[in-house]
Amino acid sequence: MKILIADSMEKEAVSEIQKLGEVILVPNDLKAAIKDADILIVRSATQVNAELLSHAHRLKIVARAGVGLDNVDKEACEKRGIKVISTPGASSNAVAELALGMMFAVSRKIAKADFSMKKKTWIKKELSGTELEGKTLGIVGLGRIGAMLALKATALGMEIVYYDPRTPNSTLGRQVNLNDLMALSDYVSLHVPLTPETRELINPAAIAKMRKGAVLINTARGGLVDEEALYLALKEGKIAGAALDVYPQEPYTGKLCELDNIVLTPHIGGSTKEAQIRIGKELIEQLKKELK
Ligand code: NAD
C-alpha cells in the first residue's frame, strides 16, 4: 500500500501512518508521485482538484488531516470513486487555545512588546493593555472549536454571546443574532466553515457595528473576512485590534502585514504536537475502517 503525504506533518503523525504502509513524504513532483498512490493525505495547502486527480491511477482514499474540506474537490473525488475522509475533532483544542492566545496577545500587545525588546528598546509606556475578565466574547459558530473556546473563556470570567442558527439554546452562552453579537462583543471570534453563506460574513456593514475598542479574531478561514474592510477599520482605529491565522491566499504577504495593531500567524491553528498525534491516530482508525 502506497500512502502519499502531500503536506508536511509532525513526525509523530507520520510514524502513526507508517504503520499502514509505505509512505512517500512531501514529494517535489506531486503529479508524478500520485500516479501509483493508494491513499493521498493532505493538510490545507495541497489543492486536491480534478486536474491533480487525473494523474492518479490507483487512488482510493483522500484523507484530509484536519478540519475543513475546502481544498478538496469532493465532487471530482466522487466521480472517480475516491472516498474522502477527515479528522474533524482532532485539532479543535489546539485551535481554541490559539484563539484564546490571540486574545491575550492583542490585549496585552505581547508581539509588539517582544519585538521592541529584541530591538533593545524599552517602550513600557506604549504597552498598556486591557484584560479579558469581565469582557464579552462573541463566538460566531458554536461547533467543536467555538464550544471549546466558550468553556475556556467562561473560566476566565468572560461573558459569552454566540451566533449559530444551527445550535439553538446552548448553555455555553446567550444566543443572539449576528448584528447584536457584533454590537455587544469586546472580542469577536470566528469559528464557522467557509461556505457561500459565510464568505465575507465580516464585511464593511458587520465591522461598522463593532465596538470602537473591539478585537476580531479569525482562526477559521480567510475568506470569512473582507480584507480591505478590516484593513481600513484597523488603520482608522474603528476597532482596536485583530488577530488572524488564516487568509484568502496562503502564504499571505498582503497589506495587513504593515499594521501595528494586528497579530498574524501562518495558519498554525492545528499545529501542536498533541493535535498532530490525535490527527495521526484518528486518521489510522478511519483508514483501517475504510480498508477493511
Ligand atoms: P464545526 O463544524 O464543529 O462548527 C462550525 C459551526 O458553525 C457549526 O456549529 C455550525 O452550525 C456553525 N455554522 C455554520 N454556518 C453558519 C453560519 N452561516 N452562521 C453561523 N454559524 C454557522 O467546525 P469546527 O471544527 O469548530 O471548525 C470551525 C472552523 O475552524 C472551520 O472553518 C475550520 O476549517 C476551521 N479550522 C481552522 C484550523 C486552523 O488551523 N486555523 C484548524 C481546524 C479548523
Side-chain angles (χ1 to χ4, degrees), residues 43-44 64 66-70 88-89 91-92 95 98 139-147 163-167 178 190-195 197-198 201 218-221 224 245-246 267-271:
R43 288 183 70 187
S44 54
R64 160 81 167 98
V67 199
L69 288 169
D70 33 295
S91 54
S92 304
V95 182
L98 180 68
I139 298 181
V140 182
L142 198 71
R144 287 173 292 256
I145 299 171
Y163 168 65
D164 187 334
R166 285 159 215 148
T167 312
L178 186 60
L190 308 181
H191 302 286
V192 286
L194 181 62
T195 63
E197 190 194 347
T198 61
L201 191 68
N218 186 12
T219 56
R221 280 296 176 264
L224 299 175
D245 185 46
V246 286
H267 202 149
I268 56 168
S271 300

mmCIF file of all heavy atoms in Angstrom, residues 43-44 64 66-70 88-89 91-92 95 98 139-147 163-167 178 190-195 197-198 201 218-221 224 245-246 267-271, ligand 1:
data_model
loop_
_atom_site.group_PDB
_atom_site.id
_atom_site.type_symbol
_atom_site.label_atom_id
_atom_site.label_comp_id
_atom_site.label_asym_id
_atom_site.label_seq_id
_atom_site.Cartn_x
_atom_site.Cartn_y
_atom_site.Cartn_z
ATOM 1 N N ARG A 43 -2.973 18.276 4.164
ATOM 2 C CA ARG A 43 -3.450 19.209 5.203
ATOM 3 C C ARG A 43 -4.214 20.300 4.452
ATOM 4 O O ARG A 43 -5.086 19.956 3.665
ATOM 5 C CB ARG A 43 -2.276 19.723 6.029
ATOM 6 C CG ARG A 43 -1.742 18.603 6.944
ATOM 7 C CD ARG A 43 -0.637 19.063 7.840
ATOM 8 N NE ARG A 43 -1.104 19.978 8.866
ATOM 9 C CZ ARG A 43 -0.291 20.640 9.699
ATOM 10 N NH1 ARG A 43 1.007 20.475 9.606
ATOM 11 N NH2 ARG A 43 -0.777 21.438 10.613
ATOM 12 N N SER A 44 -3.885 21.577 4.660
ATOM 13 C CA SER A 44 -4.714 22.591 3.984
ATOM 14 C C SER A 44 -4.049 23.162 2.735
ATOM 15 O O SER A 44 -4.702 23.826 1.937
ATOM 16 C CB SER A 44 -5.060 23.717 4.961
ATOM 17 O OG SER A 44 -3.883 24.225 5.532
ATOM 18 N N ARG A 64 -8.025 14.082 4.570
ATOM 19 C CA ARG A 64 -7.647 15.444 4.974
ATOM 20 C C ARG A 64 -7.281 15.371 6.448
ATOM 21 O O ARG A 64 -8.140 15.081 7.300
ATOM 22 C CB ARG A 64 -8.843 16.372 4.710
ATOM 23 C CG ARG A 64 -8.823 17.662 5.476
ATOM 24 C CD ARG A 64 -7.921 18.703 4.834
ATOM 25 N NE ARG A 64 -8.183 19.999 5.434
ATOM 26 C CZ ARG A 64 -7.462 20.543 6.415
ATOM 27 N NH1 ARG A 64 -6.405 19.904 6.909
ATOM 28 N NH2 ARG A 64 -7.795 21.718 6.904
ATOM 29 N N GLY A 66 -7.089 16.984 9.302
ATOM 30 C CA GLY A 66 -7.560 18.234 9.881
ATOM 31 C C GLY A 66 -9.034 18.428 9.601
ATOM 32 O O GLY A 66 -9.747 17.483 9.261
ATOM 33 N N VAL A 67 -9.464 19.689 9.719
ATOM 34 C CA VAL A 67 -10.880 20.037 9.538
ATOM 35 C C VAL A 67 -11.033 20.889 8.285
ATOM 36 O O VAL A 67 -10.110 21.589 7.909
ATOM 37 C CB VAL A 67 -11.401 20.897 10.715
ATOM 38 C CG1 VAL A 67 -12.914 20.875 10.780
ATOM 39 C CG2 VAL A 67 -10.798 20.472 12.013
ATOM 40 N N GLY A 68 -12.202 20.890 7.694
ATOM 41 C CA GLY A 68 -12.465 21.765 6.550
ATOM 42 C C GLY A 68 -12.005 21.096 5.278
ATOM 43 O O GLY A 68 -10.834 20.743 5.141
ATOM 44 N N LEU A 69 -12.939 20.904 4.349
ATOM 45 C CA LEU A 69 -12.589 20.213 3.097
ATOM 46 C C LEU A 69 -12.587 21.195 1.932
ATOM 47 O O LEU A 69 -12.803 20.816 0.796
ATOM 48 C CB LEU A 69 -13.587 19.078 2.842
ATOM 49 C CG LEU A 69 -13.438 17.871 3.768
ATOM 50 C CD1 LEU A 69 -14.612 16.927 3.626
ATOM 51 C CD2 LEU A 69 -12.127 17.135 3.506
ATOM 52 N N ASP A 70 -12.322 22.502 2.242
ATOM 53 C CA ASP A 70 -12.404 23.482 1.162
ATOM 54 C C ASP A 70 -11.262 23.353 0.157
ATOM 55 O O ASP A 70 -11.337 23.928 -0.920
ATOM 56 C CB ASP A 70 -12.552 24.920 1.704
ATOM 57 C CG ASP A 70 -11.843 25.142 3.010
ATOM 58 O OD1 ASP A 70 -12.245 24.511 4.001
ATOM 59 O OD2 ASP A 70 -10.889 25.934 3.036
ATOM 60 N N PRO A 88 -12.175 15.570 11.908
ATOM 61 C CA PRO A 88 -12.774 16.848 12.322
ATOM 62 C C PRO A 88 -12.482 17.298 13.748
ATOM 63 O O PRO A 88 -12.344 18.489 13.988
ATOM 64 C CB PRO A 88 -14.268 16.628 12.105
ATOM 65 C CG PRO A 88 -14.465 15.174 11.866
ATOM 66 C CD PRO A 88 -13.157 14.586 11.443
ATOM 67 N N GLY A 89 -12.359 16.368 14.696
ATOM 68 C CA GLY A 89 -12.235 16.831 16.081
ATOM 69 C C GLY A 89 -10.811 16.925 16.593
ATOM 70 O O GLY A 89 -10.559 17.478 17.672
ATOM 71 N N SER A 91 -8.088 18.583 15.974
ATOM 72 C CA SER A 91 -7.323 19.814 16.238
ATOM 73 C C SER A 91 -8.144 20.880 16.965
ATOM 74 O O SER A 91 -7.680 22.013 17.136
ATOM 75 C CB SER A 91 -6.763 20.374 14.927
ATOM 76 O OG SER A 91 -7.807 20.547 13.995
ATOM 77 N N SER A 92 -9.361 20.531 17.396
ATOM 78 C CA SER A 92 -10.250 21.558 17.978
ATOM 79 C C SER A 92 -9.614 22.274 19.163
ATOM 80 O O SER A 92 -9.650 23.507 19.249
ATOM 81 C CB SER A 92 -11.569 20.919 18.430
ATOM 82 O OG SER A 92 -12.173 20.255 17.372
ATOM 83 N N VAL A 95 -6.871 24.743 18.210
ATOM 84 C CA VAL A 95 -7.355 25.990 17.599
ATOM 85 C C VAL A 95 -8.002 26.880 18.667
ATOM 86 O O VAL A 95 -7.781 28.096 18.690
ATOM 87 C CB VAL A 95 -8.348 25.703 16.449
ATOM 88 C CG1 VAL A 95 -8.806 27.010 15.808
ATOM 89 C CG2 VAL A 95 -7.715 24.795 15.407
ATOM 90 N N LEU A 98 -5.324 28.549 20.499
ATOM 91 C CA LEU A 98 -4.683 29.624 19.721
ATOM 92 C C LEU A 98 -5.569 30.870 19.730
ATOM 93 O O LEU A 98 -5.072 31.989 19.903
ATOM 94 C CB LEU A 98 -4.406 29.184 18.276
ATOM 95 C CG LEU A 98 -3.744 30.272 17.421
ATOM 96 C CD1 LEU A 98 -2.313 30.571 17.892
ATOM 97 C CD2 LEU A 98 -3.729 29.916 15.943
ATOM 98 N N ILE A 139 -18.964 34.631 19.933
ATOM 99 C CA ILE A 139 -18.461 33.492 19.164
ATOM 100 C C ILE A 139 -19.387 33.255 17.969
ATOM 101 O O ILE A 139 -20.586 33.017 18.140
ATOM 102 C CB ILE A 139 -18.372 32.232 20.055
ATOM 103 C CG1 ILE A 139 -17.375 32.482 21.195
ATOM 104 C CG2 ILE A 139 -17.973 31.015 19.234
ATOM 105 C CD1 ILE A 139 -17.184 31.310 22.140
ATOM 106 N N VAL A 140 -18.822 33.342 16.773
ATOM 107 C CA VAL A 140 -19.610 33.110 15.556
ATOM 108 C C VAL A 140 -19.351 31.666 15.130
ATOM 109 O O VAL A 140 -18.267 31.327 14.676
ATOM 110 C CB VAL A 140 -19.198 34.103 14.439
ATOM 111 C CG1 VAL A 140 -20.050 33.881 13.199
ATOM 112 C CG2 VAL A 140 -19.331 35.538 14.930
ATOM 113 N N GLY A 141 -20.347 30.790 15.349
ATOM 114 C CA GLY A 141 -20.189 29.356 15.065
ATOM 115 C C GLY A 141 -19.829 28.598 16.322
ATOM 116 O O GLY A 141 -18.673 28.535 16.717
ATOM 117 N N LEU A 142 -20.867 28.044 16.976
ATOM 118 C CA LEU A 142 -20.620 27.339 18.247
ATOM 119 C C LEU A 142 -20.547 25.826 17.997
ATOM 120 O O LEU A 142 -21.330 25.054 18.523
ATOM 121 C CB LEU A 142 -21.727 27.683 19.249
ATOM 122 C CG LEU A 142 -21.409 27.402 20.715
ATOM 123 C CD1 LEU A 142 -20.388 28.381 21.262
ATOM 124 C CD2 LEU A 142 -22.682 27.454 21.572
ATOM 125 N N GLY A 143 -19.594 25.428 17.154
ATOM 126 C CA GLY A 143 -19.386 23.999 16.884
ATOM 127 C C GLY A 143 -18.312 23.464 17.814
ATOM 128 O O GLY A 143 -18.214 23.872 18.972
ATOM 129 N N ARG A 144 -17.490 22.548 17.277
ATOM 130 C CA ARG A 144 -16.459 21.921 18.126
ATOM 131 C C ARG A 144 -15.508 22.959 18.720
ATOM 132 O O ARG A 144 -15.289 23.001 19.929
ATOM 133 C CB ARG A 144 -15.647 20.906 17.297
ATOM 134 C CG ARG A 144 -16.382 19.631 16.971
ATOM 135 C CD ARG A 144 -15.572 18.790 16.011
ATOM 136 N NE ARG A 144 -15.493 19.435 14.721
ATOM 137 C CZ ARG A 144 -16.195 19.061 13.657
ATOM 138 N NH1 ARG A 144 -16.971 18.011 13.716
ATOM 139 N NH2 ARG A 144 -16.085 19.712 12.526
ATOM 140 N N ILE A 145 -14.937 23.821 17.861
ATOM 141 C CA ILE A 145 -13.927 24.768 18.350
ATOM 142 C C ILE A 145 -14.594 25.903 19.138
ATOM 143 O O ILE A 145 -14.135 26.265 20.230
ATOM 144 C CB ILE A 145 -13.100 25.333 17.170
ATOM 145 C CG1 ILE A 145 -12.370 24.187 16.466
ATOM 146 C CG2 ILE A 145 -12.119 26.392 17.652
ATOM 147 C CD1 ILE A 145 -11.695 24.559 15.163
ATOM 148 N N GLY A 146 -15.683 26.435 18.597
ATOM 149 C CA GLY A 146 -16.390 27.523 19.274
ATOM 150 C C GLY A 146 -16.801 27.125 20.682
ATOM 151 O O GLY A 146 -16.656 27.909 21.639
ATOM 152 N N ALA A 147 -17.295 25.897 20.830
ATOM 153 C CA ALA A 147 -17.744 25.433 22.152
ATOM 154 C C ALA A 147 -16.563 25.304 23.119
ATOM 155 O O ALA A 147 -16.666 25.676 24.295
ATOM 156 C CB ALA A 147 -18.466 24.093 22.009
ATOM 157 N N TYR A 163 -23.510 33.394 17.941
ATOM 158 C CA TYR A 163 -24.412 33.376 16.788
ATOM 159 C C TYR A 163 -24.188 32.062 16.055
ATOM 160 O O TYR A 163 -23.076 31.806 15.557
ATOM 161 C CB TYR A 163 -24.125 34.565 15.866
ATOM 162 C CG TYR A 163 -24.816 34.450 14.543
ATOM 163 C CD1 TYR A 163 -26.212 34.472 14.464
ATOM 164 C CD2 TYR A 163 -24.101 34.306 13.353
ATOM 165 C CE1 TYR A 163 -26.862 34.346 13.246
ATOM 166 C CE2 TYR A 163 -24.743 34.192 12.130
ATOM 167 C CZ TYR A 163 -26.122 34.205 12.087
ATOM 168 O OH TYR A 163 -26.764 34.072 10.890
ATOM 169 N N ASP A 164 -25.172 31.215 16.042
ATOM 170 C CA ASP A 164 -25.109 29.939 15.324
ATOM 171 C C ASP A 164 -26.529 29.417 15.203
ATOM 172 O O ASP A 164 -27.026 28.736 16.102
ATOM 173 C CB ASP A 164 -24.221 28.937 16.092
ATOM 174 C CG ASP A 164 -23.986 27.645 15.291
ATOM 175 O OD1 ASP A 164 -24.832 27.308 14.437
ATOM 176 O OD2 ASP A 164 -22.954 26.997 15.535
ATOM 177 N N PRO A 165 -27.204 29.755 14.093
ATOM 178 C CA PRO A 165 -28.615 29.385 13.964
ATOM 179 C C PRO A 165 -28.847 27.883 14.085
ATOM 180 O O PRO A 165 -29.938 27.453 14.424
ATOM 181 C CB PRO A 165 -28.992 29.872 12.568
ATOM 182 C CG PRO A 165 -27.920 30.802 12.151
ATOM 183 C CD PRO A 165 -26.687 30.480 12.924
ATOM 184 N N ARG A 166 -27.775 27.081 13.801
ATOM 185 C CA ARG A 166 -27.975 25.616 13.856
ATOM 186 C C ARG A 166 -27.701 25.041 15.239
ATOM 187 O O ARG A 166 -27.777 23.846 15.451
ATOM 188 C CB ARG A 166 -27.086 24.938 12.817
ATOM 189 C CG ARG A 166 -27.655 25.141 11.441
ATOM 190 C CD ARG A 166 -26.615 24.957 10.355
ATOM 191 N NE ARG A 166 -26.901 25.883 9.267
ATOM 192 C CZ ARG A 166 -26.019 26.447 8.483
ATOM 193 N NH1 ARG A 166 -24.747 26.211 8.632
ATOM 194 N NH2 ARG A 166 -26.396 27.278 7.539
ATOM 195 N N THR A 167 -27.319 25.872 16.183
ATOM 196 C CA THR A 167 -27.085 25.387 17.555
ATOM 197 C C THR A 167 -27.876 26.260 18.528
ATOM 198 O O THR A 167 -27.310 27.091 19.234
ATOM 199 C CB THR A 167 -25.566 25.454 17.890
ATOM 200 O OG1 THR A 167 -24.839 24.865 16.817
ATOM 201 C CG2 THR A 167 -25.235 24.701 19.172
ATOM 202 N N LEU A 178 -26.485 38.034 14.499
ATOM 203 C CA LEU A 178 -25.120 38.486 14.177
ATOM 204 C C LEU A 178 -24.938 39.988 14.439
ATOM 205 O O LEU A 178 -23.892 40.403 14.953
ATOM 206 C CB LEU A 178 -24.778 38.144 12.716
ATOM 207 C CG LEU A 178 -23.337 38.435 12.293
ATOM 208 C CD1 LEU A 178 -22.325 37.651 13.135
ATOM 209 C CD2 LEU A 178 -23.122 38.129 10.815
ATOM 210 N N LEU A 190 -14.218 34.000 15.189
ATOM 211 C CA LEU A 190 -14.937 33.294 14.112
ATOM 212 C C LEU A 190 -14.626 31.800 14.119
ATOM 213 O O LEU A 190 -13.444 31.417 14.111
ATOM 214 C CB LEU A 190 -14.542 33.881 12.756
ATOM 215 C CG LEU A 190 -14.654 35.398 12.617
ATOM 216 C CD1 LEU A 190 -14.249 35.829 11.206
ATOM 217 C CD2 LEU A 190 -16.081 35.871 12.934
ATOM 218 N N HIS A 191 -15.683 30.988 14.093
ATOM 219 C CA HIS A 191 -15.496 29.530 14.095
ATOM 220 C C HIS A 191 -16.514 28.829 13.215
ATOM 221 O O HIS A 191 -17.007 27.762 13.552
ATOM 222 C CB HIS A 191 -15.539 29.010 15.544
ATOM 223 C CG HIS A 191 -14.490 29.655 16.383
ATOM 224 N ND1 HIS A 191 -13.148 29.332 16.273
ATOM 225 C CD2 HIS A 191 -14.558 30.681 17.269
ATOM 226 C CE1 HIS A 191 -12.451 30.114 17.075
ATOM 227 N NE2 HIS A 191 -13.274 30.945 17.688
ATOM 228 N N VAL A 192 -16.823 29.459 12.069
ATOM 229 C CA VAL A 192 -17.747 28.844 11.103
ATOM 230 C C VAL A 192 -16.947 28.313 9.913
ATOM 231 O O VAL A 192 -15.846 28.791 9.644
ATOM 232 C CB VAL A 192 -18.783 29.870 10.575
ATOM 233 C CG1 VAL A 192 -19.829 30.175 11.619
ATOM 234 C CG2 VAL A 192 -18.113 31.148 10.098
ATOM 235 N N PRO A 193 -17.501 27.349 9.186
ATOM 236 C CA PRO A 193 -16.816 26.903 7.967
ATOM 237 C C PRO A 193 -16.970 27.952 6.873
ATOM 238 O O PRO A 193 -17.862 28.811 6.962
ATOM 239 C CB PRO A 193 -17.572 25.617 7.585
ATOM 240 C CG PRO A 193 -18.923 25.772 8.201
ATOM 241 C CD PRO A 193 -18.753 26.616 9.429
ATOM 242 N N LEU A 194 -16.110 27.903 5.859
ATOM 243 C CA LEU A 194 -16.255 28.812 4.712
ATOM 244 C C LEU A 194 -17.238 28.188 3.730
ATOM 245 O O LEU A 194 -16.984 27.109 3.186
ATOM 246 C CB LEU A 194 -14.891 29.039 4.041
ATOM 247 C CG LEU A 194 -14.908 29.990 2.846
ATOM 248 C CD1 LEU A 194 -15.362 31.386 3.247
ATOM 249 C CD2 LEU A 194 -13.536 30.060 2.189
ATOM 250 N N THR A 195 -18.371 28.861 3.537
ATOM 251 C CA THR A 195 -19.406 28.395 2.606
ATOM 252 C C THR A 195 -19.865 29.636 1.821
ATOM 253 O O THR A 195 -19.516 30.761 2.202
ATOM 254 C CB THR A 195 -20.623 27.825 3.371
ATOM 255 O OG1 THR A 195 -21.206 28.899 4.144
ATOM 256 C CG2 THR A 195 -20.250 26.687 4.303
ATOM 257 N N GLU A 197 -22.540 31.010 2.051
ATOM 258 C CA GLU A 197 -23.295 31.805 3.027
ATOM 259 C C GLU A 197 -22.371 32.603 3.966
ATOM 260 O O GLU A 197 -22.706 33.709 4.394
ATOM 261 C CB GLU A 197 -24.139 30.814 3.832
ATOM 262 C CG GLU A 197 -25.187 31.385 4.739
ATOM 263 C CD GLU A 197 -25.700 30.313 5.712
ATOM 264 O OE1 GLU A 197 -25.413 29.112 5.512
ATOM 265 O OE2 GLU A 197 -26.365 30.706 6.663
ATOM 266 N N THR A 198 -21.212 32.033 4.284
ATOM 267 C CA THR A 198 -20.338 32.703 5.272
ATOM 268 C C THR A 198 -19.215 33.515 4.629
ATOM 269 O O THR A 198 -18.485 34.209 5.332
ATOM 270 C CB THR A 198 -19.698 31.680 6.246
ATOM 271 O OG1 THR A 198 -18.896 30.770 5.481
ATOM 272 C CG2 THR A 198 -20.740 30.922 7.035
ATOM 273 N N LEU A 201 -18.535 37.187 5.601
ATOM 274 C CA LEU A 201 -19.534 37.439 6.647
ATOM 275 C C LEU A 201 -19.143 38.708 7.414
ATOM 276 O O LEU A 201 -19.975 39.496 7.844
ATOM 277 C CB LEU A 201 -19.528 36.229 7.603
ATOM 278 C CG LEU A 201 -20.624 36.094 8.635
ATOM 279 C CD1 LEU A 201 -21.952 35.806 7.940
ATOM 280 C CD2 LEU A 201 -20.307 34.949 9.603
ATOM 281 N N ASN A 218 -9.691 35.690 13.887
ATOM 282 C CA ASN A 218 -10.111 34.710 12.870
ATOM 283 C C ASN A 218 -9.110 33.570 12.771
ATOM 284 O O ASN A 218 -8.010 33.723 12.238
ATOM 285 C CB ASN A 218 -10.273 35.373 11.497
ATOM 286 C CG ASN A 218 -10.844 34.384 10.472
ATOM 287 O OD1 ASN A 218 -11.312 33.302 10.843
ATOM 288 N ND2 ASN A 218 -10.814 34.755 9.214
ATOM 289 N N THR A 219 -9.520 32.422 13.321
ATOM 290 C CA THR A 219 -8.702 31.207 13.189
ATOM 291 C C THR A 219 -9.452 30.187 12.333
ATOM 292 O O THR A 219 -9.078 29.013 12.316
ATOM 293 C CB THR A 219 -8.406 30.580 14.571
ATOM 294 O OG1 THR A 219 -9.669 30.326 15.215
ATOM 295 C CG2 THR A 219 -7.548 31.466 15.441
ATOM 296 N N ALA A 220 -10.529 30.649 11.640
ATOM 297 C CA ALA A 220 -11.362 29.674 10.909
ATOM 298 C C ALA A 220 -10.931 29.573 9.438
ATOM 299 O O ALA A 220 -10.184 28.648 9.078
ATOM 300 C CB ALA A 220 -12.829 30.035 11.050
ATOM 301 N N ARG A 221 -11.361 30.523 8.615
ATOM 302 C CA ARG A 221 -10.957 30.529 7.209
ATOM 303 C C ARG A 221 -10.831 31.975 6.737
ATOM 304 O O ARG A 221 -11.651 32.830 7.085
ATOM 305 C CB ARG A 221 -11.978 29.796 6.332
ATOM 306 C CG ARG A 221 -11.855 28.277 6.354
ATOM 307 C CD ARG A 221 -10.524 27.780 5.769
ATOM 308 N NE ARG A 221 -10.355 26.344 5.875
ATOM 309 C CZ ARG A 221 -9.682 25.718 6.845
ATOM 310 N NH1 ARG A 221 -9.135 26.402 7.830
ATOM 311 N NH2 ARG A 221 -9.558 24.413 6.829
ATOM 312 N N LEU A 224 -13.657 34.398 5.249
ATOM 313 C CA LEU A 224 -14.769 34.887 6.074
ATOM 314 C C LEU A 224 -14.716 36.404 6.261
ATOM 315 O O LEU A 224 -15.714 37.026 6.602
ATOM 316 C CB LEU A 224 -14.727 34.238 7.470
ATOM 317 C CG LEU A 224 -14.850 32.715 7.538
ATOM 318 C CD1 LEU A 224 -14.656 32.238 8.974
ATOM 319 C CD2 LEU A 224 -16.213 32.272 7.019
ATOM 320 N N ASP A 245 -5.135 33.874 11.748
ATOM 321 C CA ASP A 245 -4.290 32.703 11.489
ATOM 322 C C ASP A 245 -4.499 32.205 10.061
ATOM 323 O O ASP A 245 -3.745 31.362 9.594
ATOM 324 C CB ASP A 245 -4.649 31.591 12.491
ATOM 325 C CG ASP A 245 -3.747 30.371 12.375
ATOM 326 O OD1 ASP A 245 -2.511 30.562 12.299
ATOM 327 O OD2 ASP A 245 -4.262 29.231 12.352
ATOM 328 N N VAL A 246 -5.544 32.708 9.399
ATOM 329 C CA VAL A 246 -5.949 32.171 8.097
ATOM 330 C C VAL A 246 -6.211 33.320 7.125
ATOM 331 O O VAL A 246 -6.610 34.410 7.542
ATOM 332 C CB VAL A 246 -7.217 31.306 8.262
ATOM 333 C CG1 VAL A 246 -6.904 29.968 8.910
ATOM 334 C CG2 VAL A 246 -8.274 32.040 9.091
ATOM 335 N N HIS A 267 -1.201 30.205 9.647
ATOM 336 C CA HIS A 267 -2.097 29.025 9.663
ATOM 337 C C HIS A 267 -1.527 27.893 10.539
ATOM 338 O O HIS A 267 -1.264 26.782 10.055
ATOM 339 C CB HIS A 267 -2.367 28.506 8.236
ATOM 340 C CG HIS A 267 -3.626 27.707 8.154
ATOM 341 N ND1 HIS A 267 -4.407 27.665 7.020
ATOM 342 C CD2 HIS A 267 -4.260 26.912 9.066
ATOM 343 C CE1 HIS A 267 -5.454 26.877 7.238
ATOM 344 N NE2 HIS A 267 -5.381 26.399 8.472
ATOM 345 N N ILE A 268 -1.352 28.214 11.823
ATOM 346 C CA ILE A 268 -0.763 27.243 12.749
ATOM 347 C C ILE A 268 -1.791 26.707 13.751
ATOM 348 O O ILE A 268 -1.423 26.075 14.735
ATOM 349 C CB ILE A 268 0.434 27.859 13.530
ATOM 350 C CG1 ILE A 268 -0.006 29.139 14.267
ATOM 351 C CG2 ILE A 268 1.602 28.122 12.594
ATOM 352 C CD1 ILE A 268 1.011 29.637 15.286
ATOM 353 N N GLY A 269 -3.091 26.976 13.491
ATOM 354 C CA GLY A 269 -4.130 26.585 14.452
ATOM 355 C C GLY A 269 -4.024 25.136 14.916
ATOM 356 O O GLY A 269 -4.112 24.844 16.105
ATOM 357 N N GLY A 270 -3.831 24.232 13.979
ATOM 358 C CA GLY A 270 -3.783 22.810 14.346
ATOM 359 C C GLY A 270 -2.372 22.304 14.567
ATOM 360 O O GLY A 270 -2.157 21.106 14.764
ATOM 361 N N SER A 271 -1.402 23.212 14.544
ATOM 362 C CA SER A 271 -0.001 22.780 14.598
ATOM 363 C C SER A 271 0.517 22.666 16.026
ATOM 364 O O SER A 271 1.398 23.425 16.443
ATOM 365 C CB SER A 271 0.879 23.758 13.811
ATOM 366 O OG SER A 271 0.464 23.799 12.484
HETATM 367 P P1 NAD B 1 -17.860 22.692 13.333
HETATM 368 O O1 NAD B 1 -18.491 22.158 12.094
HETATM 369 O O2 NAD B 1 -17.762 21.810 14.523
HETATM 370 O O3 NAD B 1 -18.577 24.044 13.787
HETATM 371 C C1 NAD B 1 -18.977 25.026 12.890
HETATM 372 C C2 NAD B 1 -20.213 25.668 13.455
HETATM 373 O O4 NAD B 1 -20.559 26.750 12.591
HETATM 374 C C3 NAD B 1 -21.440 24.716 13.498
HETATM 375 O O5 NAD B 1 -21.985 24.679 14.804
HETATM 376 C C4 NAD B 1 -22.418 25.329 12.503
HETATM 377 O O6 NAD B 1 -23.766 25.205 12.902
HETATM 378 C C5 NAD B 1 -21.982 26.792 12.504
HETATM 379 N N1 NAD B 1 -22.354 27.493 11.284
HETATM 380 C C6 NAD B 1 -22.329 27.055 10.010
HETATM 381 N N2 NAD B 1 -22.740 28.026 9.177
HETATM 382 C C7 NAD B 1 -23.030 29.101 9.947
HETATM 383 C C8 NAD B 1 -23.476 30.412 9.676
HETATM 384 N N3 NAD B 1 -23.741 30.810 8.428
HETATM 385 N N4 NAD B 1 -23.646 31.267 10.712
HETATM 386 C C9 NAD B 1 -23.380 30.886 11.996
HETATM 387 N N5 NAD B 1 -22.964 29.642 12.303
HETATM 388 C C10 NAD B 1 -22.782 28.768 11.296
HETATM 389 O O7 NAD B 1 -16.404 23.207 12.870
HETATM 390 P P2 NAD B 1 -15.108 23.354 13.793
HETATM 391 O O8 NAD B 1 -14.397 22.058 13.837
HETATM 392 O O9 NAD B 1 -15.475 24.038 15.045
HETATM 393 O O10 NAD B 1 -14.233 24.333 12.846
HETATM 394 C C11 NAD B 1 -14.574 25.697 12.701
HETATM 395 C C12 NAD B 1 -13.676 26.370 11.680
HETATM 396 O O11 NAD B 1 -12.312 26.278 12.088
HETATM 397 C C13 NAD B 1 -13.715 25.771 10.273
HETATM 398 O O12 NAD B 1 -13.729 26.829 9.349
HETATM 399 C C14 NAD B 1 -12.403 25.074 10.151
HETATM 400 O O13 NAD B 1 -11.980 24.995 8.827
HETATM 401 C C15 NAD B 1 -11.508 25.975 10.977
HETATM 402 N N6 NAD B 1 -10.261 25.349 11.427
HETATM 403 C C16 NAD B 1 -9.116 26.063 11.351
HETATM 404 C C17 NAD B 1 -7.911 25.476 11.767
HETATM 405 C C18 NAD B 1 -6.614 26.250 11.721
HETATM 406 O O14 NAD B 1 -5.573 25.653 11.562
HETATM 407 N N7 NAD B 1 -6.640 27.550 11.904
HETATM 408 C C19 NAD B 1 -7.891 24.162 12.252
HETATM 409 C C20 NAD B 1 -9.097 23.486 12.357
HETATM 410 C C21 NAD B 1 -10.290 24.083 11.935
#
